[in-house]
């Protein structure tokens, strides 16, 4: 950790050495009209830094064409205005001090061809800092086109995935994932499956935050990743069609159609996407099991071919019932089926040179996944200052199943059978229902903002694992010690208070959240019931200091909780192959994290984040093995404590007029301390994650992108994660009519993003090499159609819920 603090001090000393000039923030006001001097409503207004051309704040004009940008820092700026059907217009450069500035009326001229909203070209950086979040803007990204959501998300600052596609933030697990502020209700394998079936071309941006306010759920030890989907802001009927085809070792493709119709106070919208992906996972696994007399070595060579077909759809209506009240009702669904074929050959040696037997394993799997969700949102404006009352209700249902058929042949070195061929099969249907209701009240005052609210959620998860084998008579018989019925219920009642204000250059925010949890884990088969009933307080605080437009500081603290994934609580054994399985732990407890972050923004462009997370009762992956049966298993246990310190540096640059880049580097130190896998661990490791994204604007119609990312080796718990790096590139061509575009992208050009994990911890010796068929070439076609002439204002509707369904 000392190296991280020293590095941060060196960076800050060099930058803060400049003078801290600046007075109190002030407001900017103005009006926008057309050539007939009529007000232009819903025009986009941008406050731009005059020298760096960086976007600082935004606003939207009201019905009278008027806009207000509140509390902008002292500096030199100009106003840029854009609206559909008009040419972009700029104001004169002005100086903002401690008094409100009235901008002369800006007049927009009609464009010769009105197609869609004018974008602020070259101004919004690929990565920007806003409200304590790092935001990756991918709306027009070449690399994102045709890719799935998981591939897009892992390019965000500080985000990575492990070999099982679990999301990590600042090198840690325990990430809260939301879409447009709403919970996905999923983690682990189920979340990865859902993100892989979501079209990345529909994503506008990815917001990464390691801070939390009292309004946010306390769930999520590290922070939140919010996926912001594209919004259609146009009047009348319009839509977008996308088709993408790619080739790795196997073909993969997807297509989508989104439609939107708005007239007066009513907006009706819908979308549908179909994905058909086939990929191959190659795996090399070596492990040793030792006993008093000898060592048994397993050398496994396996591959898994997965084919997933998915249907994603959404339909909804937004109705403005009065000037103050707006209602939203929407339904989303996801239906997917994943079929897998897994083959492996394992050489079993009693010594490194003596081959004892060969295990040939094959399995066929069929895994349907269905998710349905309905949301109702009602927002009532209490006054013209921004006060409002918001009611939100969600119902989500998950129905999953996993049917597997296993065949095992154990042969002698000469090819004869060592044991009779074995056949087993399993079925694991899982039903999850989630009900959520919340009410939020926001009161905007002259000297601050007060927020409070209540929330209730109910979750029921029903897992029924059936495991049987084929006997010599040709009959399927139940394997009693493997089948298991597990029912889990959880209720959480929460309330919060949050207050924020500003005093001169200082901004203050403090809040308190309380959550009362009642849960029951009932293993019907094993007749084990684990009840929990507990109440927790979760304080949070944030202090910001706006020294000048070039120097902005923010210090935050929050207490957070990570409850066990439902699947981790189920005490059944989920077999990966004959000798390897995962086992749940019904006694695992929630973990609690105290997190602190210090952020510094220099020249409104360069962002530095220094953070520390201290976790008690940390939930970590533990290992076990049996030297008699040669079985190896994985479970979850509570470790005494972990600590993680990190520094994240985000630095955008422009080279000439056509080349822009964004560089992100994260230095992380992780330390694990406590009993694990039957031994006491006191392990620490420092590593670096980095990415560099480059955009080349060759002409108004033609652009190119390149992305490089990777990490150095590090120790996570008892696992050593080896270094890896990969390179992606793409090209984008927009046709003259601005409606049609083509994007060509290549990911993992040098096939270098393989995962290698090794373990050398007491009696545990293993090595895993895995490649997930990342090297692909994709071509994506996009067509925009319909009446695209006028913008309408977007409305923010947020809802959160625990996303631990699996």
């Amino acid at each position: 950790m000392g190296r991280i603090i020293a590095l941060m001090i060196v960076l800050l000393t060099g930058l803060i050495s400049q003078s801290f000039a600046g007075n109190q923030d002030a407001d900017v006001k103005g009006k926008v009209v057309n050539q007939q001097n009529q007000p232009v409503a819903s025009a986009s207004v941008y406050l731009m830094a005059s020298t760096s051309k960086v976007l600082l704040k935004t606003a939207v004009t009201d019905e009278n064409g008027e806009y207000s940008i509140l509390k902008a820092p002292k500096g030199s700026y100009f106003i840029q205005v854009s609206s559909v059907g008009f040419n972009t217009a700029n104001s004169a450069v002005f100086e903002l001090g401690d008094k409100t500035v009235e901008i002369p009326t800006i007049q927009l001229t009609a464009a010769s061809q009105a197609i869609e909203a004018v974008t602020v070209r070259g101004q919004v950086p690929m990565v920007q800092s806003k409200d304590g979040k790092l935001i990756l803007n991918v709306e027009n990204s070449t690399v994102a086109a045709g890719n799935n959501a998981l591939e897009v998300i892992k390019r965000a600052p500080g985000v990575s995935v492990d070999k099982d596609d679990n999301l990590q933030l600042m090198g840690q697990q325990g990430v809260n994932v939301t879409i447009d502020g709403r919970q996905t209700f999923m983690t682990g394998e189920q979340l990865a499956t859902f993100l892989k079936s979501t079209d990345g071309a529909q994503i506008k941006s990815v917001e990464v935050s390691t801070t939390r306010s009292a309004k946010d759920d306390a769930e999520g030890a590290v922070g939140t990743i919010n996926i912001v989907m594209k919004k259609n802001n146009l009047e009348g009927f319009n839509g977008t069609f996308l088709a993408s085809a790619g080739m790795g070792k196997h073909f993969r493709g997807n297509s989508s159609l989104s439609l939107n119709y708005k007239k007066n106070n009513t907006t009706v919208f819908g979308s549908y996407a179909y994905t058909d992906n086939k990929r191959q996972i190659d795996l090399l696994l070596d492990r040793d099991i030792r006993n008093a007399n000898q060592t048994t070595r397993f050398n496994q060579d396996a591959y898994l071919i997965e084919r997933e077909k998915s249907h994603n759809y959404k339909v909804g209506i937004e109705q403005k019932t009065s000037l103050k009240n707006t209602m939203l009702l929407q339904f989303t669904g996801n239906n997917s089926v994943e079929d897998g074929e897994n083959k492996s050959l394992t050489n079993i040696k009693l010594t490194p040179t003596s081959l004892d037997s060969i295990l040939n394993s094959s399995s066929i799997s069929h895994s349907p996944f269905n998710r349905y969700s309905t949301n109702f949102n009602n927002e009532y404006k209490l006054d013209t200052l921004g006060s409002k009352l918001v009611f939100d209700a969600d119902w989500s249902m998950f129905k999953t199943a996993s049917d597997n058929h296993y065949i095992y042949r154990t042969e002698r070195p000469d090819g004869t059978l060592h044991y009779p061929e074995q056949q087993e099969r399993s079925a694991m249907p899982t039903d999850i229902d989630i009900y959520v209701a919340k009410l939020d009240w926001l009161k905007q005052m002259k000297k601050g903002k007060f927020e409070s609210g209540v929330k209730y959620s109910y979750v029921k998860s029903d897992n029924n694992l059936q495991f049987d084998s084929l006997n010599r008579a040709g009959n399927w018989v139940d394997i009693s010690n493997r089948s298991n019925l597990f029912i889990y219920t959880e209720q959480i009642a929460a309330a919060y208070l949050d207050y924020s204000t500003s005093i001169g250059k200082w901004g203050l925010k403090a809040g308190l959240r309380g959550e009362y949890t009642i849960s029951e884990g009932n293993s019907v088969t094993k007749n084990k019931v684990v009840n929990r009933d507990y109440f927790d307080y979760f304080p949070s605080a944030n202090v910001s200091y706006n020294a000048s437009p070039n120097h902005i500081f923010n210090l935050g603290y929050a207490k957070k909780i990570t409850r066990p994934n439902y699947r981790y609580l189920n005490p059944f054994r989920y077999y990966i192959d004959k000798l390897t399985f995962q086992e749940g732990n019904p006694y695992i407890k929630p973990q609690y994290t105290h997190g602190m972050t210090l952020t510094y923004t220099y020249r409104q462009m360069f962002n530095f984040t220094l953070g520390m997370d201290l976790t008690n009762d940390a939930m970590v992956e533990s290992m076990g093995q049996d030297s008699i049966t040669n079985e190896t298993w994985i479970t979850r246990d509570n470790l005494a404590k972990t600590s993680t310190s990190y520094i994240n540096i985000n630095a955008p640059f422009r080279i000439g007029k056509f080349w822009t880049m964004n560089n992100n580097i994260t230095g992380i130190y992780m330390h694990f301390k406590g009993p694990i896998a039957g031994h006491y661990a006191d392990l620490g490791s420092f590593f670096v994650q980095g990415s560099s994204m480059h955009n080349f604007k060759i002409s108004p119609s033609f652009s190119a992108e390149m992305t490089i990312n990777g990490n150095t080796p590090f120790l996570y718990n008892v696992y050593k994660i080896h270094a890896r790096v990969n390179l992606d590139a793409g090209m984008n061509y927009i046709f003259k009519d601005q409606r049609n575009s083509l994007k060509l992208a290549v990911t993992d050009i040098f096939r270098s993003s393989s995962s290698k994990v090794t373990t050398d911890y007491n009696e545990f010796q293993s090595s895993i090499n895995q490649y997930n068929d990342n090297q692909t070439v994709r071509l994506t076609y996009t067509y925009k159609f319909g009446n695209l002439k006028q913008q309408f204002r977007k409305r923010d509707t947020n809802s959160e819920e625990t996303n631990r369904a699996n």
Side-chain angles (χ1 to χ4, degrees):
M1 178 184 171
R3 286 176 286 182
I4 299 178
I5 297 176
L7 177 59
M8 187 65 174
I9 292 174
V10 170
L11 291 168
L12 294 182
T13 302
L15 295 172
I16 302 174
S17 59
Q18 304 184 38
S19 61
F20 281 18
N23 297 314
Q24 184 166 340
D25 298 342
D27 301 339
V28 180
K29 297 183 178 181
K31 185 175 182 179
V32 180
V33 299
N34 58 21
Q35 289 172 292
Q36 290 74 42
N37 288 322
Q38 297 171 333
V40 178
S42 299
S44 299
V45 181
Y46 307 94
L47 180 65
M48 313 293 297
S50 61
T51 54
S52 63
K53 304 297 189 298
V54 169
L55 171 63
L56 184 67
K57 288 193 172 186
T58 63
V60 177
T61 58
D62 60 18
E63 292 80 1
N64 300 316
E66 297 176 350
Y67 63 89
S68 297
I69 298 175
L70 305 178
K71 296 182 179 180
K74 177 182 177 182
S76 177
Y77 304 101
F78 67 90
I79 293 293
Q80 184 173 97
V81 181
S82 68
S83 184
V84 173
F86 296 95
N87 294 313
T88 302
N90 296 339
S91 73
V93 175
F94 62 91
E95 297 294 327
L96 184 63
D98 55 1
K99 296 182 179 180
T100 298
V101 173
E102 293 279 352
I103 303 298
T105 298
I106 296 176
Q107 188 177 72
L108 299 181
T109 59
S112 58
Q113 185 180 16
I115 298 297
E116 58 179 307
V118 179
T119 57
V120 186
R121 295 183 180 177
Q123 310 299 342
V124 181
M126 284 183 287
V127 177
Q128 61 185 137
S129 177
K130 185 178 180 181
D131 299 330
K133 305 173 184 175
L134 283 176
I135 303 173
L136 173 68
N137 296 301
V138 297
E139 185 169 10
N140 299 306
S141 170
T142 300
V143 175
N147 237 326
N148 61 53
L150 184 64
E151 292 296 324
V152 175
I153 293 171
K154 68 183 186 182
R155 291 176 168 83
V159 177
S160 59
V161 296
D162 63 14
K163 64 179 178 61
D164 298 318
D165 290 331
N166 294 309
L167 285 169
Q168 298 175 327
L169 182 57
M170 304 303 176
Q172 306 174 72
Q173 294 184 356
V175 184
N176 213 11
V177 179
T178 61
I179 297 178
D180 287 333
R182 302 185 183 282
Q183 289 294 339
T184 56
F185 308 113
M186 293 172 284
T187 57
E189 179 183 345
Q190 206 171 72
L191 176 61
T193 299
F194 175 72
L195 294 176
K196 289 174 187 176
S197 64
T198 301
D199 183 12
Q202 300 301 315
I203 297 176
K204 177 183 178 181
S205 60
V206 180
E207 301 175 342
V208 177
S209 175
T210 56
T211 61
R212 186 187 64 80
S213 68
K215 181 180 179 180
D216 303 320
D217 281 313
E219 181 71 26
V222 187
T224 300
I225 299 174
N226 182 42
I227 306 168
V228 181
M229 308 301 289
K230 292 180 180 179
K231 307 291 184 182
N232 193 327
N233 302 325
L234 303 173
E235 185 81 14
F237 175 75
N238 40 72
T240 302
F241 171 75
L242 180 144
S244 179
M247 179 62 71
K249 283 193 172 182
H250 303 275
F251 174 81
R252 58 196 67 178
N254 62 286
S255 60
S256 64
L257 175 67
S258 60
L259 302 172
N260 191 87
Y261 177 75
K262 179 182 184 295
K263 186 174 179 62
N264 299 326
N265 295 321
T266 304
T267 303
V268 180
F269 56 91
S271 64
Y272 170 76
Y274 174 72
T275 301
D276 187 347
N277 282 343
K278 188 176 182 180
R279 66 171 184 166
Q280 179 172 321
I281 300 173
D282 298 309
L283 176 69
L284 294 174
L285 171 62
D286 297 325
R287 59 188 177 94
D288 292 348
I289 294 184
R290 302 170 181 171
N291 57 35
N293 301 319
Q294 64 183 12
T295 297
T296 304
R297 175 161 295 175
F298 300 83
N299 303 120
Q300 183 176 358
D301 186 352
Y303 72 88
L304 170 64
I305 296 178
E306 295 178 339
R307 183 174 185 181
E308 180 188 20
K309 296 181 180 181
S310 67
H311 304 266
N312 290 274
Y313 41 91
K314 177 172 67 175
V315 62
I317 182 171
E318 183 178 80
Q319 179 68 47
K320 191 172 184 179
T321 58
S322 68
L323 293 176
K324 292 185 176 182
N325 195 76
T326 304
M327 294 191 304
L328 172 71
L329 178 66
Q330 63 180 0
F331 173 82
T332 59
N334 173 247
N335 306 112
S336 65
V337 175
E338 183 177 274
D339 293 311
E341 179 184 358
N342 187 3
K343 292 185 179 295
S344 70
L345 187 148
T346 305
N347 291 320
I348 304 174
K349 303 177 182 179
L350 299 181
T351 67
T353 57
S354 175
L355 181 62
D356 176 71
S357 57
I358 301 171
L359 174 63
N360 276 291
S361 303
S362 64
S363 65
I364 302 295
S365 64
H366 178 74
S367 304
F369 167 70
N370 300 287
R371 173 183 182 263
Y372 307 99
S373 179
T374 301
N375 168 257
F376 173 76
N377 179 280
N378 190 89
E379 180 180 304
Y380 182 77
K381 296 180 180 179
L382 300 172
D383 53 40
T384 58
L385 298 176
S387 303
K388 59 184 179 180
L389 188 67
V390 181
F391 173 75
D392 206 271
D394 288 278
W395 167 76
S396 294
M397 177 180 67
F398 302 87
K399 286 188 175 294
T400 64
S402 182
D403 298 323
N404 298 273
H405 187 180
Y406 309 91
I407 300 176
Y408 305 114
R409 289 177 56 88
T410 305
E411 302 172 351
R412 299 183 179 88
D414 61 6
T416 59
L417 280 177
H418 203 299
Y419 309 108
E421 180 179 277
Q422 297 173 276
Q423 293 193 44
E424 298 174 343
R425 66 183 185 185
S426 66
M428 188 178 67
T430 301
D431 295 339
I432 301 175
D433 288 286
I434 301 178
Y435 302 88
V436 183
K438 57 182 294 191
L439 183 66
D440 296 297
W441 175 58
L442 184 150
K443 177 63 177 176
Q444 192 76 46
M445 298 173 286
K446 290 184 178 180
K447 294 185 179 181
K449 182 173 66 174
F450 180 80
E451 294 180 88
S452 66
V454 293
K455 177 181 176 181
Y456 172 78
S457 65
Y458 173 82
V459 177
K460 182 179 180 180
S461 174
D462 191 328
N463 302 267
N464 187 13
L465 174 67
Q466 301 295 323
F467 220 114
D468 48 16
S469 63
L470 188 67
N471 62 19
R472 294 185 179 182
N475 300 317
W476 290 98
V477 295
D478 179 66
I479 306 178
S480 59
N481 63 334
R482 293 194 187 180
S483 299
N484 182 50
L485 173 60
F486 180 73
I487 300 174
Y488 178 80
T489 59
E490 178 183 85
Q491 299 179 74
I492 301 176
Y496 73 91
L497 298 172
D498 220 337
Y499 179 75
S500 59
T501 187
S502 59
I503 305 173
K505 299 179 181 180
W506 294 88
L508 306 173
K509 186 172 186 177
L512 182 64
R513 183 180 185 89
E515 293 188 353
Y516 178 48
T517 304
I518 301 174
S519 67
E520 179 186 272
N522 182 10
S523 178
V524 179
T525 304
K526 296 187 176 183
N527 196 26
K528 288 183 179 179
V529 179
V530 178
N531 291 304
R532 289 206 174 99
D533 185 334
Y534 54 95
F535 179 82
D536 288 303
Y537 286 109
F538 298 95
S540 60
N542 192 281
V543 179
S544 62
Y545 178 65
N546 195 341
S548 74
N550 291 335
H551 304 281
I552 301 173
F553 297 86
N554 192 291
L555 178 65
Y557 161 80
K559 179 185 175 183
K560 295 166 279 189
I561 185 175
T562 301
R563 298 176 179 87
N565 185 289
Y566 312 140
R567 183 172 175 177
Y568 298 163
L569 293 167
N570 193 342
F572 78 92
R573 291 182 174 183
Y574 178 76
Y575 277 78
I576 301 170
D577 59 38
K578 184 180 179 181
L579 300 174
T580 311
F581 60 88
Q582 297 182 25
E583 186 172 33
N585 178 5
Y587 302 104
I588 191 171
K589 299 180 295 183
Q591 67 178 30
Y592 294 88
T593 301
H594 297 271
M596 294 191 66
T597 57
L598 172 64
T599 61
Y600 168 57
T601 302
Y602 176 64
R603 289 191 176 274
Q604 306 167 17
M605 294 175 61
F606 302 98
N607 300 288
F608 303 82
T609 302
L610 180 66
M612 173 178 284
D613 291 322
L614 301 175
T615 302
N616 295 315
D617 292 326
M619 294 183 295
V620 298
E621 189 175 282
S622 181
M623 301 174 62
Q625 62 186 28
D626 189 321
S627 59
I628 305 300
T629 63
N630 289 329
E631 291 181 317
T632 300
W633 61 89
I634 296 172
T635 187
R636 265 79 180 175
D637 287 320
N638 289 108
L639 193 66
K641 61 179 61 179
T642 65
S643 63
T644 303
S645 306
Y646 57 88
I647 176 173
N648 182 269
I649 303 171
N650 189 264
F653 292 98
R654 177 182 292 274
I655 301 176
K657 295 183 178 181
F658 75 99
W659 184 2
T660 58
M661 71 172 70
N662 185 277
N663 303 293
N664 192 88
I665 186 170
T666 309
I668 305 168
Y669 179 77
M670 305 182 72
H671 196 94
F672 300 85
K673 191 173 184 179
I676 184 170
H679 302 276
Y680 189 85
D682 191 352
L683 307 169
S685 159
F686 175 81
F687 63 102
V688 176
Q689 295 176 339
S691 66
S692 183
M693 295 180 287
H694 303 255
N695 184 276
F696 307 92
K697 191 69 175 179
I698 300 170
S699 72
S701 300
F702 185 66
S703 62
E705 288 184 21
M706 181 178 68
T707 302
I708 307 170
N709 58 71
N711 63 264
T712 62
F714 65 99
L715 194 66
Y716 187 87
N717 194 357
V718 298
Y719 305 99
K720 181 179 180 181
I721 314 298
H722 290 249
R724 66 174 178 176
V725 64
N726 69 281
L727 173 68
D728 304 332
M731 298 179 293
N732 181 32
Y733 181 76
I734 302 175
F735 291 83
K736 186 175 293 186
D737 62 2
Q738 299 291 305
R739 292 179 179 265
N740 296 271
S741 65
L742 277 176
K743 298 180 181 181
L744 178 67
V746 184
T747 57
D748 196 14
I749 294 175
F750 299 107
R751 206 177 186 271
S752 55
S753 64
S754 60
S755 299
K756 183 177 182 180
V757 181
T758 57
T759 305
D760 186 3
Y761 181 72
N762 294 294
E763 70 269 26
F764 300 99
Q765 309 286 325
S766 65
S767 173
I768 302 173
N769 286 275
Q770 182 172 314
Y771 188 74
N772 288 348
D773 200 5
N774 298 316
Q775 188 181 59
T776 58
V777 179
R778 298 184 317 280
L779 181 66
T780 303
Y781 168 73
T782 304
Y783 175 66
K784 300 178 180 180
F785 58 90
N787 180 23
L788 312 177
K789 291 184 177 180
Q790 183 183 351
Q791 289 179 310
F792 68 90
R793 193 176 309 170
K794 290 183 287 186
R795 185 173 64 84
D796 181 27
T797 57
N798 291 335
S799 173
E800 297 90 12
E801 177 50 22
T802 308
N803 61 342
R804 298 176 292 119
N806 202 348

